[in-house]
């Protein structure tokens, strides 16, 4: 029997300077800077990176049990729409470009990719599943 869980995850975003922000994990303390300007990923690019990164981790963990890849790249793209001044993304697509050694273990790893990509999409990748299924987002003003 399957068990349902609900674990709170938190990220704090603080302003570093004009158009530059730092996101810090409430769990690990890891951080990254983003925003608008040279050398910074925008929030939309972070969304695409989160989608690609989530599935990349799923595929990497499963395939590297067999073989280390010679090439491992996942690209995510999508169209940013503006509808009456309101923005959103649509037609998000991931492209996996993987290469494994021409060995028995490398061929086994390569043979797993299609199945693991599908499982990631259908079941394991929290990020893409949340985007596809939707999640309520609320805002509040702290005292």
């Amino acid at each position: 029997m399957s068990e349902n869980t609900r674990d709170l995850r938190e990220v704090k975003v603080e302003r570093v300077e004009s158009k530059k922000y730092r996101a810090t994990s409430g769990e690990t303390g890891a951080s990254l800077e983003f925003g608008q300007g040279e050398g910074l990923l925008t929030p939309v690019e972070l969304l695409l990176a989160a989608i690609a990164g989530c599935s990349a981790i799923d595929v990497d963990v499963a395939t590297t049990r067999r073989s280390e890849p010679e090439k491992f790249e996942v690209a995510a793209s999508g169209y940013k729409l503006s509808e009456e001044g309101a923005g959103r993304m649509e037609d998000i697509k991931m492209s996996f470009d993987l290469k494994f050694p021409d060995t028995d273990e490398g061929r086994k790893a390569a043979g797993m990719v299609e199945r693991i990509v599908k499982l990631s999409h259908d079941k394991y990748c929290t990020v893409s599943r949340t985007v596809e299924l939707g999640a309520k987002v609320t805002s509040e003003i702290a005292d």
Side-chain angles (χ1 to χ4, degrees):
M1 190 182 302
S2 161
E3 179 185 324
N4 293 333
T5 62
R6 187 172 184 215
D7 298 319
L8 180 65
R9 303 297 167 103
E10 293 180 297
V11 173
K12 180 175 87 177
V13 174
E14 60 186 321
R15 183 180 187 267
V16 175
E17 60 188 55
S18 178
K19 299 182 182 179
K20 186 175 185 179
Y21 308 88
R22 180 180 302 113
T24 303
S25 166
E27 186 174 338
T28 66
S31 67
L32 65 84
E33 292 185 351
F34 68 97
Q36 293 178 321
E38 189 174 329
L40 296 173
L41 292 173
T42 67
V44 170
E45 291 166 332
L46 287 176
L47 175 65
L48 293 172
I51 292 168
C54 186
S55 285
I57 290 169
D58 291 339
V59 174
D60 190 33
V61 167
T63 59
T64 56
R65 290 182 184 139
R66 298 283 186 190
S67 176
E68 280 293 314
E70 293 176 345
K71 182 178 185 179
F72 194 110
E73 295 178 0
V74 183
S77 62
Y79 293 93
K80 185 176 177 185
L81 300 179
S82 179
E83 300 169 320
E84 298 179 23
R88 69 179 180 90
M89 295 290 293
E90 76 171 8
D91 297 329
I92 297 171
K93 177 179 127 181
M94 284 187 292
S95 176
F96 290 79
D97 188 2
L98 311 175
K99 184 176 187 322
F100 292 91
D102 189 17
T103 63
D104 285 343
E105 292 302 302
R107 287 187 288 278
K108 286 178 186 174
M112 299 171 67
V113 171
E114 189 172 333
R115 181 175 63 85
I116 300 303
V117 166
K118 182 172 178 12
L119 278 170
S120 178
H121 176 269
D122 294 346
K123 185 174 182 180
Y124 298 123
C125 178
T126 302
V127 179
S128 64
R129 286 181 43 79
T130 301
V131 169
E132 285 193 326
L133 298 174
K136 183 178 179 181
V137 178
T138 60
S139 300
E140 64 181 30
I141 307 300
D143 294 332

